[in-house]
Amino acid sequence: MSVNTEKNSYTVVFAVLMVIVVGSLLAFLASALKPKVDENQRFEKQQNILYAMGVNDNEGEGSVNFVPTSEVESEFSKYIKEQLVIEGSEAKEKDNAYLIDMKKQLSTIKSGGNAELPLLIGEKDGKEYYIIPLYGKGLWDAIWGFMSVDENMVVQGVFFDHKGETPGLGANINQRFFMDDFVGESIMDGNSYAGIAVAKGNGDPLNENKDDNEVDALAGATITGNGVTAMIKDALKLYKPYLETIRKK
Amino acid sequence: MALLSKKDTNLILDPLADNNPITIQVLGICSALAITAELKASVVMAISVLFVLGVGNVVISLLRNIIPAKIRIIVQLVVVAALVIIVDQVLKAFAYELSKTLSVFVGLIITNCIIMGRFEAFALGNGPWKSFLDGIGNALGYGVILVIVGFFRELLGSGTLFGFKVLGDPVAKTGLYALGYENNGFMIIPPAALIVVGIIIWVQRSKNRALIEEA
């Protein structure tokens, strides 16, 4: 017996069945893979944090290589000494503070609520690193990252990433030639927190001048660059009270 | 008996050259423009389209006798969207690094006219095996153009291939850059892809005059 596929009732039944089948298939897949995906995201965050404090496998000039996923957990607990949550100039210890979602915290602050601001303290070769999470927006979508500073407020390393910046243009914020420029820049201008601006045509493409609070911009990615500048400024505004307590005058 | 009959072979080979989805049918141009600034992205996109089109064509072909004609486009969309989500999720779980490169482009697969075009024009009227070959052929034809465009854009625009500096270091002025070569910034913006695709179309038609339409 052949079915009359032209009938309205058949069409409706087919549509409903299709939605149920496809929907449950995708829901099953998503929930089955969720633990694996969460774990990947956690490892990625640990890798990014370690990268920002200079613990990585970079070889040669062009590569951005993280600590391998298999070792990242042990390396993370080896280098990260303290995980804090900042409230004003006070800091409380908190387990797994690095998992706090900055996007949520920033929107809490915007709506006037009390946010938890994570800050990590790492130690490598006897030197302390204060690692600040960053979150902002680029041209198309979110950009984020981590920045580590020492007690003189000199940047020791950064890591940037993005959700949907243009490949070959804004997407290059996660490339070595851009991120390495930040190392050695001070976030202070005299006694005020100036941040680091991504500047066009500053006549310093090799970034030899480390006192100008500027790094050379990416060609063709003005808005992403401005986003990075704003993201650093915004984070400093929030962390300033605490940073003041650790800053060597 | 050969694995593929002559007709089957043509299903795969035709879209590679004389019936290429991009250069002859002029489909899928939008994604070809958007993602070909880097060779790696081109290759990853080509592979994902290969999966989505290959499997999607088979699914649509299997369902072809029970899909109500009135909602067939919606059914096709649901199949593409579901496959794309599966690709994305599986990559996120098992190839996380790759999925980050891909995630921007995955959405573009859904809007790729080649896929809906093959579902509509081929899979709805042919058996699963033929549809599979047709899907693979068309995805390969699409991928070939993507890789060619990506190759030229990354090489001329950034002086790299797969991220490796092949022309020397532009900042330290080594290799070709020592001779005064400069990266062509125009190549990394989307309009450059249009020009590269145009040149491929031109070359292809001057090689095979039969492809030129009567004026």
Side-chain angles (χ1 to χ4, degrees):
Chain A
M1 191 193 85
S2 73
V3 207
N4 178 9
T5 59
E6 292 298 309
K7 270 199 332 210
N8 279 342
S9 55
Y10 177 81
T11 306
V12 171
V13 170
F14 187 92
V16 170
L17 278 179
M18 178 181 70
V19 169
I20 292 173
V21 169
V22 173
S24 43
L25 176 78
L26 291 181
F28 172 75
L29 189 78
S31 57
L33 294 176
K34 187 157 192 303
K36 196 90 184 115
V37 176
D38 284 349
E39 192 184 69
N40 283 334
Q41 282 168 348
R42 196 161 52 83
F43 286 158
E44 185 197 6
K45 230 171 175 182
Q46 292 183 343
Q47 284 172 325
N48 294 349
I49 290 167
L50 288 177
Y51 186 92
M53 64 176 279
V55 182
N56 51 50
D57 274 5
N58 282 341
E59 276 171 31
E61 272 199 23
S63 66
V64 175
N65 289 318
F66 302 106
V67 176
T69 318
S70 51
E71 294 163 28
V72 70
E73 244 173 332
S74 61
E75 292 282 293
F76 189 75
S77 48
K78 181 174 147 200
Y79 286 107
I80 301 298
K81 294 294 168 207
E82 273 183 272
Q83 304 200 25
L84 304 175
V85 168
I86 310 291
E87 272 173 44
S89 59
E90 301 289 307
K92 278 192 307 219
E93 276 209 51
K94 184 177 167 143
D95 287 345
N96 288 333
Y98 75 102
L99 290 176
I100 291 173
D101 185 358
M102 277 306 279
K103 185 184 177 186
K104 258 188 217 151
Q105 304 309 318
L106 291 179
S107 63
T108 314
I109 290 171
K110 230 180 199 168
S111 57
N114 264 340
E116 291 186 301
L117 295 171
L119 181 120
L120 308 177
I121 301 179
E123 200 185 306
K124 194 178 76 169
D125 307 328
K127 192 174 166 178
E128 290 213 316
Y129 294 76
Y130 301 90
I131 303 153
I132 305 167
L134 309 168
Y135 188 90
K137 57 176 193 284
L139 172 59
W140 302 115
D141 216 317
I143 53 176
W144 61 88
F146 295 94
M147 180 169 78
S148 72
V149 295
D150 64 4
E151 67 276 0
N152 298 317
M153 300 297 125
V154 172
V155 175
Q156 302 298 306
V158 292
F159 179 79
F160 298 126
D161 211 344
H162 64 95
K163 190 168 172 202
E165 297 308 292
T166 321
L169 301 174
N172 283 346
I173 57 169
N174 60 14
Q175 297 294 306
R176 276 281 291 287
F177 69 90
F178 182 67
M179 294 193 294
D180 284 0
D181 277 0
F182 285 79
V183 178
E185 290 277 349
S186 171
I187 54 174
M188 308 291 296
D189 185 11
N191 251 338
S192 65
Y193 287 78
I196 299 167
V198 178
K200 276 198 287 187
N202 64 349
D204 184 19
L206 292 179
N207 198 45
E208 278 149 349
N209 180 1
K210 294 286 184 190
D211 299 320
D212 57 357
N213 293 98
E214 278 182 354
V215 297
D216 197 39
L218 294 165
T222 310
I223 296 178
T224 313
N226 292 347
V228 172
T229 308
M231 172 167 87
I232 294 172
K233 275 225 169 80
D234 290 349
L236 289 181
K237 221 180 278 168
L238 297 170
Y239 285 88
K240 186 180 154 195
Y242 183 76
L243 291 177
E244 269 301 288
T245 64
I246 51 177
R247 180 162 75 102
K248 283 219 176 112
K249 304 277 153 76
Chain B
M1 199 183 90
L3 184 64
L4 299 173
S5 69
K6 193 166 180 301
K7 234 177 156 182
D8 287 349
T9 322
N10 282 344
L11 284 176
I12 293 211
L13 293 185
D14 263 0
L16 289 184
D18 290 351
N19 198 14
N20 189 286
I22 294 186
T23 60
I24 306 298
Q25 300 171 21
V26 201
L27 292 175
I29 293 281
C30 351
S31 60
L33 302 190
I35 63 158
T36 47
E38 288 170 333
L39 191 52
K40 190 175 157 201
S42 309
V43 172
V44 169
M45 183 69 166
I47 294 170
S48 8
V49 168
L50 191 70
F51 170 80
V52 173
L53 192 48
V55 177
N57 249 6
V58 172
V59 172
I60 292 292
S61 171
L62 287 171
L63 295 176
R64 69 187 186 282
N65 293 326
I66 59 166
I67 295 176
K70 276 179 246 171
I71 58 164
R72 66 180 197 288
I73 300 281
I74 298 173
V75 176
Q76 291 165 14
L77 265 178
V78 169
V79 171
V80 192
L83 286 171
V84 167
I85 294 170
I86 290 172
V87 173
D88 191 38
Q89 288 286 328
V90 169
L91 284 175
K92 266 203 185 109
F94 300 107
Y96 193 69
E97 285 300 307
L98 193 62
S99 82
K100 281 194 294 179
T101 326
L102 189 71
S103 62
V104 189
F105 313 127
V106 162
L108 287 171
I109 298 178
I110 301 177
T111 63
N112 193 324
C113 345
I114 297 170
I115 293 177
M116 294 293 283
R118 293 331 289 173
F119 285 2
E120 183 76 6
F122 199 92
L124 276 178
N126 290 281
W129 174 240
K130 275 197 162 47
S131 300
F132 177 70
L133 295 178
D134 178 76
I136 298 293
N138 276 281
L140 287 177
Y142 169 79
V144 164
I145 302 295
L146 240 59
V147 169
I148 295 174
V149 177
F151 174 84
F152 284 112
R153 284 183 69 191
E154 186 172 347
L155 184 68
L156 300 176
S158 318
T160 59
L161 285 176
F162 286 114
F164 293 107
K165 295 198 172 89
V166 290
L167 299 182
D169 192 318
V171 181
K173 299 274 178 219
T174 60
L176 264 188
Y177 299 97
L179 305 172
Y181 177 80
E182 290 281 340
N183 280 334
N184 186 347
F186 175 67
M187 292 306 283
I188 50 180
I189 59 174
L194 201 61
I195 290 174
V196 179
V197 171
I199 293 173
I200 296 173
I201 293 178
W202 177 31
V203 170
Q204 194 184 9
R205 283 172 204 227
S206 64
K207 290 241 179 242
N208 184 356
R209 298 247 150 214
L211 296 174
I212 303 173
E213 294 95 357
E214 297 286 323

